[in-house]
Amino acid sequence: MTVRLRGHHLLCLLTFVGEGYTPSFTRNYVGIAKRLSAGESITVVDGPDDICAPMLCEAGAHCREDSITRRDSLALAAVADVLDRSIGSGSVLVLDADRLRRLRSAFAEGRTAAACAECEWAGLCRSIADGGFGNALVHAAEDPSLLREEL
């Protein structure tokens, strides 16, 4: 299996601590965090993804708004810069320890901040980063045999 993620969720997962829009959104995200921490791969998608899924049935869900699409573009550019590789729809990656460390370091240094500028969660994420990401739920798989090469 693979987790389908849109651009800005590549940054959101760095600071996810179990808070979210609704209980179903949060439960779903916790499950995704566990899958990523077990070494499951990520496939980058345009538009709503596996994290968005519980929100899509709600009236006024922001998942399809232009501002979110802009956030995705900014995030993809920032992640590509940090990981020194092209990333776009269809890209596949696994969050190994090195990638996760590099992304969190860049986030903490503010190198990815443009993608988060208009996000309502930016303050919480900043405080999690300032605290060293200690309570974040996504971790690199500890067993190297769980990690697969990028496809």
Side-chain angles (χ1 to χ4, degrees):
M1 294 272 316
T2 185
V3 177
R4 298 170 349 99
L5 294 183
R6 67 186 313 154
H8 79 270
H9 284 156
L10 295 172
L11 298 178
C12 297
L13 65 82
L14 301 174
T15 59
F16 178 66
V17 293
E19 295 189 33
Y21 297 103
T22 66
S24 64
F25 176 90
T26 303
R27 274 190 308 277
N28 179 59
Y29 205 153
V30 167
I32 290 169
K34 289 178 183 177
R35 291 168 58 192
L36 294 173
S37 296
E40 196 162 324
S41 63
I42 295 168
T43 299
V44 177
V45 298
D46 288 329
D49 62 9
D50 292 342
I51 290 173
C52 298
M55 303 293 288
L56 295 177
C57 62
E58 296 184 13
H62 70 273
C63 304
R64 292 184 181 91
E65 293 178 3
D66 289 343
S67 63
I68 304 303
T69 302
R70 282 190 301 278
R71 190 177 301 158
D72 288 337
S73 295
L74 291 168
L76 286 174
V79 170
D81 183 56
V82 171
L83 298 181
D84 194 31
R85 64 169 279 195
S86 176
I87 297 182
S89 184
S91 295
V92 177
L93 62 117
V94 173
L95 286 177
D96 62 21
D98 179 62
R99 287 186 189 104
L100 196 54
R101 179 194 55 74
R102 288 167 53 197
L103 287 168
R104 284 194 169 133
S105 177
F107 188 96
E109 293 167 4
R111 293 176 36 209
T112 62
C116 306
E118 297 179 22
C119 180
E120 66 186 276
W121 298 95
L124 173 64
C125 296
R126 177 86 262 143
S127 69
I128 293 163
D130 290 347
F133 302 95
N135 294 327
L137 297 182
V138 175
H139 304 279
E142 294 182 23
D143 180 351
S145 68
L146 293 174
L147 295 176
R148 296 183 304 275
E149 291 296 316
E150 295 177 37
L151 305 175

